[in-house]
Amino acid sequence: MSTTPIWIKDPLAILAEGAARGVVVKDGRIAELVPAEAEPATADAAIYDASGHVVIPGLINTHHHFYQTLTRALPAAMDRELFPWLKALYPIWAKLTPEALDAAVTVAMAELMLSGCTTTTDHHYVFPAGLEDAVGIEVAAAKRLGIRVLLTRGSMNLSERDGGLPPDSVVQDEDTILADSERVVATYHERGPDAMVQIALAPCSPFSVTGSLMQKTADLADKLDVRLHTHLAETEDENRFCEAMFGCRPLDYLETHGWLGPRTWLAHGIFFNAEEMKRLGMAKTTITHCACSNQLLASGCCPVCEMEEAGVGIGLGVDGSASNDGSNLMQEVRAAFLLQRARYGVGRISHKDALRWATKGSAACVGRPELGEIAVGKAADLALFKLDELRFSGSGDPIAALVLCGAHRADRVMVGGRWTVIDGAIPGLDVGGLIDRHSAAAKSMRGG
């Protein structure tokens, strides 16, 4: 359906070449870049005055666990590394209800949108009794808020009694998982460059699913032409677990079961060796860097420079709110920049690298080349930030200021040509009521 074109006019700064006077948006896409000292060729465009805004591509979050917003800063899980952290949290996550999940995913998506995020993934793999329609709950929330999503039908079928980490109450059997995976794709997955809801398949990790499920999930993803996602190479414990249980390293295990290829993106990727990085690059498998989570759990640091030199695409993810304790993707950009600058030094990492990971790099992770860039023909997914807070006072470079001075909140966000955040708020969202509902659900789950 045709819409009135919008000229986002004369931005304070814009992360695009040849667009000093802004962009024209029409029918959900970037129709025109307006260079310095020029006027749009598009006739009758409505004007949005962006002279007080820095305009960047909408940020893309490529790894999250929405339900974990219910277990932030939980004393039982604090100051633990990954495996004991998981063991402390699984019994609480087993208490998830449809009402609690709806509150959790709404909180996570709203936080992301307010930070300038236009597309997000979610990795939901906990399906206690009564929560069989978890993905449907997430789809409904995304449609209410207007955010673009790639939701994953996660899975676990290897419980404690089988040598895995999760309790029996949150795992499902292989046949149930595969049948529901096919149902979820058939019901919700949209195709094409304008898709707002897509589905991927995502066994939780090598230590929570069987090899049979890994292989059959890869086969199903190939049959249905959807993407694959899992955690990999997050800790040395994982390497030792895989070597003890499967007799090989995690990447070898993945490749053996048909996962090493361009439809796969992996969360973390901290402990790959040089040969493994080359294999990832050759396979066009991408990696999500989760800087805040990796620091909180003391997991390590993703070797982004070596990865990119090996041809591996890098995106960014906030990861679960139980290991990040927030869902702010612009803050994740800053965290990734600082972590990697500390690792590699001034000459190899700039603020532009971190912004690139969160936009074009993340678009590659989710298989959406039409996202993550301000260019003619790309989706009109944009984030606009003001620099009128104390934190920005005295800044010289407006785009660098977003990262270096620590932007927290977008003033405007556009998804597919439609404003989803206006004046730093999501239209129609009762934030106070949401906080009350979410807090009550969190309290009930932890038994407080």
Side-chain angles (χ1 to χ4, degrees):
M1 185 175 70
S2 180
T3 56
T4 302
I6 302 172
W7 177 15
I8 299 175
K9 182 181 178 182
D10 294 331
L12 180 64
I14 185 167
L15 193 59
E17 296 293 330
R21 296 213 67 200
V23 298
V24 176
V25 171
K26 184 178 180 181
D27 298 334
R29 301 202 157 269
I30 305 291
E32 189 177 349
L33 305 183
V34 187
E37 301 179 6
E39 296 286 323
T42 305
D44 302 321
I47 291 174
Y48 178 77
D49 179 5
S51 58
H53 292 89
V54 180
V55 182
I56 63 172
L59 304 177
I60 301 169
N61 177 43
T62 57
H63 187 62
H64 206 340
H65 308 291
F66 291 163
Y67 72 89
Q68 291 182 14
T69 60
L70 293 159
T71 50
R72 300 196 234 230
L74 194 73
M78 290 172 65
D79 303 322
R80 293 172 179 243
E81 294 182 355
L82 179 63
F83 279 20
W85 174 85
L86 283 168
K87 283 183 170 290
L89 285 164
Y90 274 133
I92 299 171
W93 295 339
K95 300 175 186 177
L96 267 174
T97 65
E99 296 76 19
L101 181 63
D102 178 73
V105 302
T106 304
V107 164
M109 291 181 194
E111 280 188 274
L112 286 163
M113 292 169 66
L114 292 170
S115 74
C117 180
T118 53
T119 299
T120 184
T121 64
D122 183 51
H123 190 182
H124 187 89
Y125 53 82
V126 177
F127 290 88
L131 201 63
E132 290 79 11
D133 193 35
V135 176
I137 291 168
E138 294 191 312
V139 170
K143 288 184 174 180
R144 287 196 304 270
L145 293 169
I147 189 169
R148 217 183 282 274
V149 290
L150 172 57
L151 303 171
T152 72
R153 204 302 181 183
S155 56
M156 296 190 293
N157 74 331
L158 196 64
S159 68
E160 285 178 310
R161 68 183 176 190
D162 305 311
L165 292 179
D168 296 344
S169 61
V170 297
V171 304
Q172 297 173 305
D173 65 79
E174 181 180 284
D175 290 344
T176 298
I177 290 165
L178 293 169
D180 194 59
S181 296
E182 194 152 9
R183 177 193 68 83
V184 167
V185 173
T187 304
Y188 300 116
H189 186 70
E190 301 171 5
R191 302 192 183 272
D194 297 320
M196 290 294 293
V197 177
Q198 293 194 321
I199 303 296
L201 305 183
C204 180
S205 64
F207 46 83
S208 54
V209 299
T210 59
S212 173
L213 182 59
M214 288 293 287
Q215 181 66 60
K216 289 179 181 178
T217 300
D219 294 342
L220 184 59
D222 189 56
K223 171 189 166 185
L224 302 177
D225 189 24
V226 295
R227 296 185 75 73
L228 287 166
H229 183 54
T230 194
H231 302 91
L232 208 75
E234 183 176 0
T235 68
E236 287 286 18
D237 282 349
E238 178 190 321
N239 282 341
R240 287 189 287 269
F241 180 94
C242 284
E243 287 168 349
M245 192 154 187
F246 309 124
C248 62
R249 286 173 59 83
L251 190 66
D252 298 323
Y253 181 75
L254 216 66
E255 185 170 23
T256 298
H257 292 94
W259 275 66
L260 196 57
R263 73 170 71 251
T264 299
W265 88 103
L266 304 170
H268 303 299
I270 297 170
F271 292 103
F272 290 125
N273 60 37
E275 184 270 337
E276 289 169 336
M277 292 181 205
K278 289 179 183 176
R279 286 161 59 195
L280 288 163
M282 291 281 290
K284 302 300 181 189
T285 297
T286 50
I287 299 293
T288 295
H289 176 33
C290 304
C292 288
S293 173
N294 294 163
Q295 290 175 89
L296 189 143
L297 292 172
S299 300
C301 180
C302 180
V304 294
C305 287
E306 289 87 348
M307 288 274 199
E308 292 193 316
E309 286 164 5
V312 182
I314 300 292
L316 287 190
V318 299
D319 202 357
S321 294
S323 62
N324 179 328
D325 300 293
S327 304
N328 189 310
L329 191 49
M330 181 51 81
Q331 284 292 288
E332 195 72 30
V333 171
R334 186 170 192 264
F337 163 70
L338 291 174
L339 180 65
Q340 299 299 342
R341 171 64 69 85
R343 178 177 180 133
Y344 291 107
V346 172
R348 297 184 73 182
I349 297 293
S350 80
H351 66 278
K352 290 182 179 178
D353 290 311
L355 286 167
R356 173 174 55 80
W357 297 329
T359 53
K360 197 171 181 178
S362 283
C365 285
V366 297
R368 301 291 300 268
E370 68 278 9
L371 307 180
E373 192 176 2
I374 300 174
V376 172
K378 302 285 185 178
D381 289 11
L382 304 169
L384 285 67
F385 291 83
K386 284 187 172 181
L387 302 184
D388 57 358
E389 300 174 63
L390 279 173
R391 73 180 69 244
F392 300 114
S393 182
S395 58
D397 182 322
I399 290 174
L402 296 180
V403 181
L404 302 181
C405 302
H408 279 261
R409 193 161 185 142
D411 182 64
R412 286 253 173 171
V413 176
M414 174 180 279
V415 178
R418 185 173 74 86
W419 295 115
T420 56
V421 173
I422 297 174
D423 299 331
I426 298 169
L429 181 66
D430 175 9
V431 174
L434 176 60
I435 291 172
D436 289 345
R437 183 163 63 96
H438 183 264
S439 297
K443 185 177 180 181
S444 175
M445 282 176 59
R446 66 176 180 260

